[in-house]
């Protein structure tokens, strides 16, 4: 779901509307609990949604976020911010008019609040929005093995919307 934010330049509404988002609590490399967020392009619905076009859109989004890392590199802090909106969490993109409302279980939201950030995973390949946990796990395993995931951290802002 898109939620309007201040008007500026950045990822367009079409790109943001084409994103699917999945959230889950997990464990970081250091053993600490961390909120995870996967962003992937929805499956193509038009002839313009070729695999190459989808990858280009996702790489553009990664650049907008300030650059994301490959699995073997340290994950950077991104320019994306997490904003609490009531009981929901909104991911804001630099220069975007809109934010992306994230699916958030209370345990995930609590981790974001307590840790002040979420591990952001950006998939370069499409994933059906209806994908359940086993399909998301299979997507992550396959994409990781092929180097098709980018990583970073999105910080929670102290302000609420």
């Amino acid at each position: 779901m898109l939620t309007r934010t201040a008007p500026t330049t950045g990822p367009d509404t079409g790109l943001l509307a084409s994103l699917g988002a999945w959230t889950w609590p997990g464990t970081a490399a250091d053993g600490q609990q961390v909120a995870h967020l996967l962003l992937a392009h929805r499956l193509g619905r038009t002839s313009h949604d070729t695999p190459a076009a989808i990858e280009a859109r996702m790489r553009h989004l990664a650049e907008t976020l300030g650059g994301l890392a490959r699995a073997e590199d340290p994950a950077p802090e991104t320019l994306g911010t997490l904003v609490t909106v009531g009981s929901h969490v909104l991911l804001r993109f630099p220069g975007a008019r809109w934010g992306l409302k994230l699916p958030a279980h209370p345990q995930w939201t609590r981790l974001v609040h307590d840790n002040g950030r979420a591990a952001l995973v950006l998939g370069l390949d499409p994933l059906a929005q209806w994908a359940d946990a086993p399909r998301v796990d299979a997507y992550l395993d396959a994409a990781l093995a092929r180097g098709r995931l980018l990583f970073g951290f999105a910080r929670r802002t102290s302000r609420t919307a």
Side-chain angles (χ1 to χ4, degrees), residues 75-155:
E77 295 293 332
T78 72
L79 300 176
T81 55
L82 300 166
V83 179
T84 303
V85 182
S87 62
H88 303 285
V89 178
L90 176 70
L91 176 62
R92 295 190 61 202
F93 298 86
R97 247 180 109 170
W98 302 93
L100 188 65
K101 183 179 171 188
L102 303 174
H105 183 277
Q107 182 183 4
W108 185 86
T109 304
R110 195 171 324 111
L111 280 172
V112 169
H113 183 268
D114 292 349
N115 296 335
R117 66 184 191 164
L120 175 63
V121 182
L122 187 135
L124 298 176
D125 299 315
L127 178 62
Q129 176 142 4
W130 48 263
D132 57 8
R135 285 182 178 92
V136 170
D137 286 345
Y139 173 90
L140 290 169
D141 289 343
L144 184 61
R146 294 186 340 263
R148 306 289 293 163
L149 297 175
L150 299 173
F151 300 88
F153 286 97
R155 285 237 168 249

